[in-house]
Amino acid sequence: MRVHTITLGCQMSAADGAETLQALENAGWQKTDDVSEADAVVLTTCTVRAHAEHRAISMIGRLRTWKDADPRRMLVVTGCVAERLGPRLTQRFPHVDLVVGAREAARTPQIVAELLGKRFQPQPKTAPVKNKICACVTIMRGCDCACSYCIVPSVRGPEACRPLEDILSEMRDKIAAGAKEITLLGQRVNAYRESGKTFADLLRRADCIEGLARLRFMSPHPALMDEKTFTAIRDGEHICPAIHIPVQSGNDRVLALMKRGHTRRDFLEMIQRLRQAVPGVVLSTDIIVGFPSETEEDFAQSLTLLEELKPAAAFCFKYSAREGTPSARLKDDVPVQVKEDRLGAVNALVSKLAQAALHSQIGSEVEVLAETPDFGRTRTGFKARWKQAVAPGSLLRLQVAEVSRRTLSGEISS
Ligand code: 5AD
Ligand code: SF4
């Protein structure tokens, strides 16, 4: 039996999709990249921005011909669009067989494997499936924040943290199956709290796991970055000094309307403390342009914040009103063309800053983890290439000679 999986959206969504695929592979399914030969398709969806939801809907529409070619085929839709639209999806698209919403994300692999198992009876696998070199482990789901533009709290529900021992044991399993780098995932990953243990406690425990080469996490909330977390990052032997930390805007009035729980100054002061605690830390962020009532002056403050932050990357989005969120009640009054122009301007600045960050690496010797024989990433998250083939999973020293197409390249020195 063959399954084709499609995941749209953020790393949380990708991790949810990967967990479902793993459950299916353990149940005897074979993954196929060719949808035409699949007996089942599992589509994991995202609704954080209107564009992401449109992609999911059009993908479902396009899968109708695949389903019509053989009605025994099964189409499963999971994730955030499944949660938001629920039965509306099957009403509009009768060719969808099963809808499992994001609030069921923790149980989705089991639900999907059981349902597909009843229809197709695959032969369960005995040997565990080999893991990727870079794996993700979800530590918490949902979000207790109420950022006014964000649909996540309503589709993913309130925060639920996994028991610490379960997380460590999943990490050990993934490492035993070949993973070298683990990214701890959560919508607000540093809100982790379980039986009196905090995110910093979890980082310290996770860092000591035998066989782990690198530990990352995403995405932390700026207002929850405390000294304990900074020192855990600094002390961690394997914790990578590359932190993605969304700021969304550089203007206090907009930040207040967004209900972010921090000001521009709070954010920049926190970054200063982080940089003191973790010298050389490389940062990335998210920015929304064209939030309701954002003026040119407000937007210019997002640009100056980026100039101060000097991120190596930033993901910038045009604001889109999401149904049911508090900001959807505000007038979406920034014209589309102005949003486009601001997005163009912010992306141009981000490219310039990214190039500067990459070029600052030239001449240095960096550690890379080989994900393929000639490609990997530095601890600080930069992509890197080299000529001579090495065993995937090995840690190397690379003498950085040049930058081309957003990738470092050079000679391996050991
Ligand atoms: N419009 C535009 N961008 C959004 N994001 C979340 N909600 C919206 C929205 N309504 C962005 C934020 C967040 C990232 C995952 O998506 O920048 O950090
Ligand atoms: Fe959305 Fe804010 Fe929660 Fe992030 S912290 S998921 S932006 S509500």
Side-chain angles (χ1 to χ4, degrees):
M1 294 291 112
R2 288 169 198 270
V3 63
H4 178 69
T5 52
I6 307 167
T7 53
L8 304 173
C10 65
Q11 269 198 301
M12 289 293 294
S13 179
D16 289 347
E19 271 182 33
T20 300
L21 175 63
Q22 180 137 39
L24 290 171
E25 286 185 319
N26 290 340
W29 286 79
Q30 266 187 347
K31 171 181 174 238
T32 174
D33 292 331
D34 180 358
V35 65
S36 69
E37 62 173 32
D39 302 291
V41 168
V42 180
L43 173 63
T44 306
T45 59
C46 171
T47 184
V48 72
R49 290 173 297 278
H51 177 67
E53 185 167 309
H54 293 153
R55 277 184 67 204
I57 299 285
S58 79
M59 186 72 79
I60 297 170
R62 275 184 279 142
L63 285 164
R64 165 167 254 142
T65 41
W66 167 81
K67 172 80 184 187
D68 286 350
D70 181 350
R72 281 169 305 177
R73 289 173 163 171
M74 294 281 275
L75 174 56
V76 180
V77 181
T78 70
C80 292
V81 176
E83 183 66 48
R84 198 175 95 75
L85 299 179
R88 279 188 277 167
L89 264 187
T90 35
Q91 271 159 22
R92 178 163 165 204
F93 299 105
H95 64 289
V96 173
D97 296 288
L98 176 68
V99 176
V100 194
R103 282 182 192 240
E104 294 282 10
R107 293 196 318 124
T108 298
Q110 187 195 335
I111 296 171
V112 175
E114 267 176 29
L115 179 101
L116 293 184
K118 274 192 202 133
R119 172 73 70 99
F120 294 102
Q121 285 113 31
Q123 289 305 309
K125 276 245 175 72
T126 41
V129 182
K130 230 182 141 21
N131 227 299
K132 295 199 215 86
I133 289 162
C134 301
C136 292
V137 172
T138 300
I139 68 165
M140 52 93 70
R141 289 192 158 90
C143 185
D144 287 352
C145 267
C147 299
S148 62
Y149 52 83
C150 188
I151 199 165
V152 166
S154 80
V155 286
R156 288 199 167 247
E159 282 165 9
C161 297
R162 291 179 65 195
L164 193 111
E165 294 305 328
D166 286 8
I167 295 167
L168 299 178
S169 119
E170 185 179 334
M171 285 182 67
R172 286 188 202 100
D173 290 349
K174 293 211 151 136
I175 290 165
K180 300 280 182 219
E181 174 178 303
I182 302 253
T183 301
L184 303 176
L185 289 181
Q187 220 73 55
R188 214 168 54 126
V189 75
N190 53 343
Y192 181 85
R193 192 162 277 276
E194 212 274 330
S195 307
K197 299 284 183 219
T198 63
F199 181 63
D201 297 326
L202 169 60
L203 280 182
R204 285 184 187 277
R205 291 284 307 276
D207 185 57
C208 298
I209 292 182
E210 184 80 28
L212 176 73
R214 285 179 174 182
L215 185 61
R216 301 185 189 276
F217 56 87
M218 81 184 295
S219 290
H221 192 284
L224 299 176
M225 287 301 259
D226 56 7
E227 297 304 318
K228 279 191 168 169
T229 309
F230 297 157
T231 49
I233 298 169
R234 183 198 60 204
D235 297 346
E237 194 185 332
H238 306 105
I239 304 177
C240 293
I243 301 184
H244 179 76
I245 184 151
V247 63
Q248 316 296 3
S249 168
N251 173 264
D252 283 342
R253 190 185 61 83
V254 173
L255 286 169
L257 281 176
M258 286 178 164
K259 300 255 182 309
R260 283 290 294 171
H262 62 79
T263 62
R264 174 189 178 104
R265 191 160 164 196
D266 295 337
F267 182 84
L268 289 171
E269 281 179 1
M270 179 277 292
I271 294 291
Q272 209 178 356
R273 292 198 309 272
L274 170 61
R275 284 209 156 109
Q276 265 157 18
V278 188
V281 64
V282 169
L283 301 165
S284 55
T285 194
D286 289 347
I287 295 276
I288 297 177
V289 302
F291 188 81
S293 81
E294 185 189 64
T295 64
E296 278 307 316
E297 290 72 37
D298 299 337
F299 168 65
Q301 287 200 290
S302 291
L303 298 178
T304 56
L305 181 134
L306 288 173
E307 299 266 15
E308 273 191 58
L309 183 67
K310 295 193 177 37
F315 301 95
C316 307
F317 309 103
K318 282 179 286 182
Y319 170 75
S320 65
R322 307 301 291 123
E323 196 184 332
T325 57
S327 73
R329 290 195 292 271
L330 302 172
K331 190 156 173 263
D332 192 1
D333 56 358
V334 179
V336 176
Q337 188 56 49
V338 174
K339 285 184 187 164
E340 303 264 345
D341 293 347
R342 289 181 190 169
L343 187 66
V346 75
N347 278 334
L349 173 61
V350 169
S351 288
K352 191 184 93 183
L353 296 170
Q355 284 302 326
L358 281 160
H359 281 88
S360 74
Q361 304 291 302
I362 294 178
S364 63
E365 194 190 71
V366 292
E367 181 201 273
V368 283
L369 171 63
E371 293 172 32
T372 72
D374 63 356
F375 172 84
R377 266 170 229 270
T378 67
R379 276 165 59 82
T380 43
F382 295 113
K383 292 178 187 163
R385 278 200 186 282
W386 52 89
K387 287 219 175 67
Q388 94 199 54
V390 302
S394 39
L395 285 175
L396 321 158
R397 310 287 312 170
L398 186 82
Q399 188 65 43
V400 182
E402 57 183 312
V403 174
S404 73
R405 282 187 281 127
R406 299 186 173 216
T407 306
L408 307 174
S409 62
E411 295 286 319
I412 295 166
S413 45
S414 67

